[in-house]
């Protein structure tokens, strides 16, 4: 086991992802996707710090056999397998890409996958695509659970185009090439005392994908991330070539392009708003369901960032709030002191940060439950490994050690997770770019929906009504729903295709400016190859997730005006398929005006639909025969 971990760490240290020459590209491997269960040792902090390089092994190694061999030499040879081959042999190899969730893959014929080294190469590539009529779908870090960026007809990745072009402290903006990862941008901003206004749960998206699919964080007064875009450049397969846009220069077209789903042009350069860097005080508490419902309006106004994690089959909601260290709410975490002006303020002291339980005490319920599960299994994991696992690793292995579609097993897993969170309550403090990221768990199916819930000043009851109804249906029908059901909130977006869009308006109103949206995500985790060598378990989980869980969410949410997150939306042309009919519901959600505007923009910038994919074609329609 030690040699396996040494090999993995050696690979992660030595080779940045964009230098890998192998034609098999697995953009992200879950913690347990290709290693024996006995070798899972990463804790949450190490995963966050080394995420980009941690995916390297999965990209480079085309078979899990290399991991099993347990030698640094074997892994390194796999990474450089292409170095000894001549270019002709390299060109003949197809390229296979697997997304982060392990839920979608695509194989492209030789010459159909491109990674331009310079902006000029990208422009020439797109121009050639336009004249030849060859497909060229843009892909970022392949984080979308639904494989939104995948198309076997042709793809282009901008991972080499990742320059930080300009940091403008006067205008409070940063301009980057669209292939730069969010984490790279954060690293570049840090020495200047700046950061991004908000983050999604992880920071390894390429900026192009980050804004193009409408990524969001949490914060009732903070809009989704596409609203941070001040200017952009797209390289279009049309007679227009490279187009630079701002809201001033292009008006509504700019708002379509910034959240354009990769369908209007290849986003090559982006200018984003930035804010002063700051530290956040994070408080984790556990409430009952009734308490969470009662306190929500107050929590949304009191805290800058709030998210709920509902635990199915348990009367428990984990509430995580984050507030700037220098602007703590008086009713929030910390110690109350005089502010020097006759008033009061909150500060965080060393005593506030002292946890009630140690990490070992927090993880003890999970470790003990895992030991009980393993007693009846052929799989053995030594004590050293169990003691080295963090929360996410333990949850993944616990779930996979039983029948992941058995409600009773899921109930036991959720119960022990509640015990963990009960002991993990407390206060932490760190820079915002660390606290706004969190552990998403291993490979998983995700279905996340967004719906309006009133305004920031006057939220309605829809946030709680929807989740209450959903939990009631889950628990009545015995859905094997693992924890958590995650709920976040955001302000509105003026991008027409945002799930949090307030819709076309001639002028802004108070209601549209202060509109509040809730985002609710359900998941089913997938077992690693070690727990599912045939892949049958993953197939059954996939079927259950789509046919039972997602359908249930849509049925409960129909009256709330749900729209799925673009990166988690599954559609099908087959009416008997669980995702059949979804495309029509999406068109209805946005309305004919927005659908027509997007298609008109496609006619202008991608008349031959060379940037499209199956999902876009099903929702917005394929190109007309004369294109």
């Amino acid at each position: 086991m030690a040699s396996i971990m040494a090999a993995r760490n050696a690979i992660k240290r030595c080779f940045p992802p964009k230098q890998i020459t192998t034609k098999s590209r697995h953009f992200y491997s879950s913690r347990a996707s290709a290693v024996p269960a006995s070798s899972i040792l990463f804790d949450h902090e190490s995963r966050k710090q080394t995420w980009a390089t941690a995916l390297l092994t999965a990209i480079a190694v085309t078979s899990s056999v290399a991991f099993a061999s347990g030698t640094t030499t074997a892994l390194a040879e796999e990474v450089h397998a292409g170095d000894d081959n001549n270019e002709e042999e390299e060109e003949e190899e197809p390229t296979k890409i697997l997304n982060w969730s392990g839920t979608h893959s695509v194989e492209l014929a030789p010459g159909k996958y491109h990674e331009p080294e310079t902006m000029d190469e990208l422009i020439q590539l797109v121009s050639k695509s336009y004249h030849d009529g060859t497909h060229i779908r843009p892909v970022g870090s392949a984080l979308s659970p639904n494989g939104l960026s995948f198309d076997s007809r042709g793809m282009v990745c901008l991972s080499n185009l990742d320059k930080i072009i300009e940091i403008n402290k006067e205008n409070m903006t940063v301009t980057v090439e669209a292939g730069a990862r969010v984490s790279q941008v954060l690293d570049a901003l840090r020495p200047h005392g700046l950061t991004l206004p908000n983050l999604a749960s992880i920071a390894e998206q390429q900026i192009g994908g980050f804004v193009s699919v409408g990524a969001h964080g949490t914060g009732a007064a903070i809009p989704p991330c596409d609203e941070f875009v001040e200017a952009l450049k797209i390289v279009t397969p049309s007679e227009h070539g490279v187009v630079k846009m701002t809201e001033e220069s292009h008006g509504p077209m700019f708002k379509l392009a910034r959240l354009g789903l990769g369908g209007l042009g290849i986003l090559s350069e982006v200018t984003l708003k930035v804010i002063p860097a700051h530290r956040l005080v994070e408080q984790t508490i556990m409430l009952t369901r009734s308490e969470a419902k009662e306190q929500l309006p107050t929590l949304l106004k009191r805290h800058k960032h709030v998210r709920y994690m509902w635990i199915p089959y348990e009367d428990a909601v984990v509430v995580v709030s984050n507030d700037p260290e220098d602007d703590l709410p008086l009713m929030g975490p910390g110690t109350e002191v005089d502010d020097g002006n006759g008033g009061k303020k909150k500060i965080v002291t060393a005593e506030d940060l002292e946890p009630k339980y140690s990490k070992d005490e927090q993880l003890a319920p999970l470790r003990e439950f895992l030991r009980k599960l393993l007693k009846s299994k052929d799989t053995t994991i030594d004590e050293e490994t169990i003691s080295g696992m963090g929360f996410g690793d333990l949850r993944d292995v616990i779930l996979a050690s039983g029948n992941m579609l058995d409600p009773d097993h899921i109930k036991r897993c959720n119960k022990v997770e509640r015990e963990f969170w009960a002991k993990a309550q407390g206060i932490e403090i760190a820079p915002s770019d660390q606290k706004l990221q969190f552990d998403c768990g291993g490979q998983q199916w995700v279905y996340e929906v967004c719906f309006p819930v009133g305004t920031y000043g006057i939220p309605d009851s829809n946030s709680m009504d929807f989740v209450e109804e959903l939990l009631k249906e889950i628990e009545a029908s015995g859905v094997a729903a693992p924890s958590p059901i995650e709920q976040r909130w955001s302000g509105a977006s003026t991008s027409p295709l945002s799930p949090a869009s307030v819709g076309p308006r001639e002028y802004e109103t108070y209601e549209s400016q202060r509109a509040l949206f809730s985002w609710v995500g359900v998941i089913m985790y997938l077992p690693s190859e070690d727990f599912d060598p045939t892949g049958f378990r993953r197939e059954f989980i996939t079927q259950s997730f789509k046919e039972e869980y997602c359908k249930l969410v849509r049925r409960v949410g129909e009256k709330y005006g749900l729209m799925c997150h673009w990166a988690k939306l599954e559609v099908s042309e087959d009416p008997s398929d669980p995702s059949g009919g979804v495309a029509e519901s999406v068109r209805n959600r946005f309305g004919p005006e927005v659908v027509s505007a997007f298609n008109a923009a496609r006619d202008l910038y991608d008349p031959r639909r060379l940037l499209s994919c199956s999902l876009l074609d099903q929702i917005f329609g394929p190109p007309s025969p004369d294109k």
Side-chain angles (χ1 to χ4, degrees), residues 2-12 15 20 22 34-35 56-81:
S3 60
I4 295 172
M5 295 307 299
R8 295 175 73 197
N9 292 330
I11 294 295
K12 287 188 294 181
F15 307 103
I20 296 169
T22 178
V35 296
L56 177 63
T57 310
I59 299 174
V61 181
T62 59
S63 168
S64 60
V65 174
F67 281 127
S69 67
T71 66
T72 307
T73 303
L75 290 173
E77 286 175 353
E78 286 290 330
V79 172
H80 291 293

Side-chain angles (χ1 to χ4, degrees), residues 27-96:
F27 279 75
Y28 182 93
S29 171
S30 78
R31 291 184 294 273
S33 66
V35 296
S38 59
S39 66
I40 306 168
L41 292 177
F42 292 123
D43 62 21
H44 178 40
E45 289 304 316
S46 66
R47 279 198 305 276
K48 289 200 298 185
Q49 294 168 6
T50 62
W51 191 100
T53 46
L55 59 79
L56 177 63
T57 310
I59 299 174
V61 181
T62 59
S63 168
S64 60
V65 174
F67 281 127
S69 67
T71 66
T72 307
T73 303
L75 290 173
E77 286 175 353
E78 286 290 330
V79 172
H80 291 293
D83 290 356
D84 295 331
N85 298 332
N86 60 48
E87 292 184 2
E88 293 181 357
E89 292 176 334
E90 189 77 18
E91 285 298 319
E92 293 175 358
E93 296 178 2
T95 299
K96 185 173 183 178

Side-chain angles (χ1 to χ4, degrees), residues 551-591:
K551 276 189 171 181
L552 175 60
V553 172
R554 289 194 290 270
R555 177 166 58 81
V556 171
E558 187 173 359
K559 64 184 177 183
Y560 295 97
L562 297 186
M563 170 58 199
C564 185
H565 190 307
W566 281 108
K568 296 156 189 175
L569 177 68
E570 300 280 345
V571 299
S572 173
E573 295 174 332
D574 182 356
S576 65
D577 187 277
S579 300
V582 171
E584 183 179 1
S585 71
V586 173
R587 288 191 294 273
N588 292 337
R589 165 66 174 78
F590 287 107

Side-chain angles (χ1 to χ4, degrees), residues 315-328:
D315 185 16
V317 185
V318 181
V319 180
V320 182
S321 63
N322 282 275
D323 296 288
E325 180 183 18
D326 298 329
D327 189 25
L328 293 177

Side-chain angles (χ1 to χ4, degrees), residues 431-601:
S432 64
D433 58 9
Q434 293 180 24
K435 298 313 298 180
L436 295 178
Q437 299 179 61
F438 51 89
D439 187 1
C440 294
Q443 289 189 341
Q444 60 197 253
W445 277 105
V446 187
Y447 189 67
E448 184 181 26
V449 295
C450 176
F451 53 100
V453 291
T455 65
Y456 177 69
I458 310 176
D460 61 30
S461 65
N462 285 351
S463 284
M464 296 296 96
D465 292 347
F466 169 71
V467 176
E468 280 187 329
E469 289 184 45
L470 180 61
L471 285 166
K472 182 179 179 180
E473 291 287 340
I474 287 170
E475 292 165 0
S477 57
V479 176
S483 175
I485 294 176
E486 185 183 60
Q487 186 169 26
R488 293 183 275 177
W489 290 266
S490 79
S493 167
T494 57
S495 298
L497 286 177
S498 171
S501 171
V502 292
R505 294 173 182 267
E506 292 184 10
Y507 57 89
E508 289 189 328
T509 64
Y510 174 84
E511 287 75 17
S512 64
Q513 288 179 331
R514 307 290 280 176
L516 180 65
F517 288 81
S518 183
W519 302 75
V520 177
V522 300
I523 55 175
M524 277 190 176
Y525 294 100
L526 296 167
S528 72
E529 293 175 7
D530 302 281
F531 290 98
D532 184 26
T534 64
F536 289 154
R537 295 181 69 188
R538 295 170 72 96
E539 289 182 15
F540 285 123
I541 292 169
T542 296
Q543 183 178 6
S544 176
F545 184 75
K546 291 184 176 182
E547 294 187 0
E548 186 175 18
Y549 209 170
C550 293
K551 276 189 171 181
L552 175 60
V553 172
R554 289 194 290 270
R555 177 166 58 81
V556 171
E558 187 173 359
K559 64 184 177 183
Y560 295 97
L562 297 186
M563 170 58 199
C564 185
H565 190 307
W566 281 108
K568 296 156 189 175
L569 177 68
E570 300 280 345
V571 299
S572 173
E573 295 174 332
D574 182 356
S576 65
D577 187 277
S579 300
V582 171
E584 183 179 1
S585 71
V586 173
R587 288 191 294 273
N588 292 337
R589 165 66 174 78
F590 287 107
E593 184 178 344
V594 170
V595 172
S596 296
F598 184 63
N599 277 331

Side-chain angles (χ1 to χ4, degrees), residues 147-199:
L148 176 63
S149 57
F150 288 0
D151 197 290
S152 62
R153 292 171 292 180
M155 292 166 58
V156 58
C157 178
L158 270 60
S159 57
N160 296 314
L161 304 180
D162 60 354
K163 293 178 183 175
I164 309 298
I165 297 171
E166 180 189 38
I167 296 173
N168 190 321
K169 295 190 73 171
E170 181 178 349
N171 294 334
M172 294 297 283
T173 60
V174 59
T175 301
V176 303
E177 291 182 335
R181 300 188 308 277
V182 173
S183 59
Q184 290 176 269
V185 178
L186 293 171
D187 289 344
L189 291 172
R190 196 171 295 115
H192 299 272
L194 301 171
T195 192
L196 295 175
N198 209 353
L199 301 177

